[in-house]
Amino acid sequence: MPRSLVVPSPAKLNLILDVIRRREDGFHELKTIFERINLEDEITLSPSTSNRIELTCQHPLVPKDDRNLAYRMADLIRQHFGIKEGVRLQINKRIPVAAGLAGGSSNAAAVLLGLNQWWKLGLSLKELQPFAAKLGSDLNFFLYQTPFALGEGRGEKIEPLAIKTCLWHVTVTPKQPLLTKDVFMALKLKLTKKVDGVNILLPFLRQGDIRGVSGHLSNDLEPAILMVRPELKVLKEKLQRAGALGVCFSGSGPTVYAIADNKSHAQEIKARFDQRYAQVFIVSTHG
Ligand code: C5P
């Protein structure tokens, strides 16, 4: 057995997040465009000294027990396949926590991909899907290892998109986290039929028309995010004033991201932006 296995665990942004309807099971039917970005955690798998799952992480807000999705994934796989030995999961955390960037989901997907190798399970992408979907709506996207994808259902039905465009961003995450559940609970759905954000944005994205993409970002969760955290409106406006081509919330927030023309433009936006109360990163599409 190798002494350790290092698995990258990237974050995502949502360029479009359309909420279609509330479902009988309490979840919401979505249509979204995911973008994988090069803001990454790193997970190291190694043998455990006990026959348990041991999780370590330097970040104080990351739970180290079964409240952690990566821990739960290892537990699920271990139980499902009747594996006796434990595993050590060491998470090097860079992605802000509870931020709308799917860091926890990405960690769990990375553990699933990693354990498939570590325990030589030989599961295909299709066979990995149900394990991912069982633990959340955002895990499946990360199994595909694609820069862009269309997400449907509650977000777990993924269609990878063969798009070569590279976008540059500034991501801004306020210190106080926001829970996805609270945002969906505050959501009031409109009865009028709305425009299909995905179909409008996709041609711009395919053509690499950055201004077109920037002008058509949208997130139906925004009114609910602002209901729970009204002060985030100011954050969005500040990022806009710092020179962004377009600004949008990612997922259920509180992360707000900007689109920039290129890396140096992203650096200019970051320099102009008041960073006192936020974690700010320059990131690009993880191609
Ligand atoms: O799937 P995930 O665990 O990320 O979802 C967290 C919570 O967000 C769910 O319990 C649900 O309340 C809400 N949610 C939703 N519709 C979705 C995804 C999440 O209502 N498509």
Side-chain angles (χ1 to χ4, degrees):
M1 189 193 282
R3 280 152 60 103
S4 65
L5 175 68
V6 179
V7 194
S9 177
K12 60 85 181 164
L13 297 176
N14 301 85
L15 298 177
I16 292 286
L17 201 162
D18 282 355
V19 180
I20 312 295
R21 65 181 175 90
R22 190 168 189 278
R23 309 192 323 192
E24 303 276 290
D25 63 5
F27 281 90
H28 292 76
E29 198 74 9
L30 308 177
K31 210 169 161 191
T32 184
I33 298 179
F34 288 111
E35 178 193 2
R36 180 175 65 167
I37 54 172
N38 61 0
L39 173 61
E40 286 188 327
D41 294 341
E42 204 176 66
I43 305 190
T44 306
L45 278 62
S46 58
S48 100
T49 46
S50 65
N51 53 2
R52 287 198 300 271
I53 296 155
E54 295 166 21
L55 190 144
T56 59
C57 180
Q58 87 284 14
H59 195 298
L61 289 182
V62 172
K64 318 291 187 287
D65 54 19
D66 63 3
R67 288 167 300 163
N68 185 305
L69 278 182
Y71 182 104
R72 294 230 301 269
M73 180 59 82
D75 202 27
L76 174 67
I77 294 299
R78 195 163 163 261
Q79 298 220 9
H80 185 91
F81 292 96
I83 294 164
K84 296 279 184 293
E85 72 190 50
V87 64
R88 192 157 183 265
L89 308 171
Q90 193 185 335
I91 303 177
N92 183 10
K93 180 74 38 203
R94 289 184 65 225
I95 305 171
V97 177
L101 297 169
S105 298
S106 172
N107 290 173
V111 165
L112 178 58
L113 290 168
L115 286 178
N116 194 27
Q117 285 185 48
W118 188 251
W119 283 330
K120 299 187 173 57
L121 303 174
L123 300 173
S124 66
L125 175 59
K126 193 161 175 244
E127 289 165 328
L128 293 171
Q129 300 288 339
F131 295 107
K134 193 165 176 152
L135 293 195
S137 310
D138 274 344
L139 279 72
N140 295 66
F141 167 63
F142 296 105
L143 298 181
Y144 284 85
Q145 307 188 48
T146 176
F148 296 100
L150 174 66
E152 289 181 288
R154 61 184 167 91
E156 90 288 14
K157 291 185 186 152
I158 301 297
E159 185 189 321
L161 299 167
I163 292 176
K164 296 266 186 286
T165 305
C166 175
L167 300 173
W168 280 94
H169 304 281
V170 181
T171 65
V172 177
T173 309
K175 293 259 156 59
Q176 199 186 339
L178 190 52
L179 293 179
T180 305
K181 182 171 59 69
D182 295 344
V183 171
F184 274 103
M185 266 168 60
L187 182 67
K188 292 188 176 64
L189 288 174
K190 295 196 181 77
L191 292 172
T192 45
K193 182 146 174 36
K194 63 180 288 293
V195 290
D196 183 337
V198 168
N199 279 346
I200 293 173
L201 188 118
L202 260 186
F204 294 112
L205 189 61
R206 285 191 201 286
Q207 287 155 25
D209 180 342
I210 294 171
R211 282 169 194 267
V213 171
S214 304
H216 295 89
L217 302 170
S218 82
N219 184 335
D220 282 353
L221 294 177
E222 178 167 330
I225 294 169
L226 295 179
M227 188 98 85
V228 183
R229 297 272 294 280
E231 75 279 8
L232 294 178
K233 193 172 191 322
V234 179
L235 181 65
K236 204 181 159 197
E237 287 162 0
K238 278 186 180 167
L239 195 53
Q240 224 135 21
R241 277 204 302 276
L245 299 181
V247 176
C248 195
F249 284 102
S250 182
S252 56
T255 297
V256 182
Y257 67 88
I259 295 191
D261 268 318
N262 48 42
K263 187 178 184 180
S264 62
H265 184 211
Q267 283 164 335
E268 275 170 40
I269 294 170
K270 184 173 185 256
R272 274 196 224 130
F273 183 77
D274 174 6
Q275 298 180 29
R276 264 177 308 176
Y277 56 102
Q279 307 161 79
V280 185
F281 295 97
I282 293 176
V283 303
S284 60
T285 309
H286 187 338

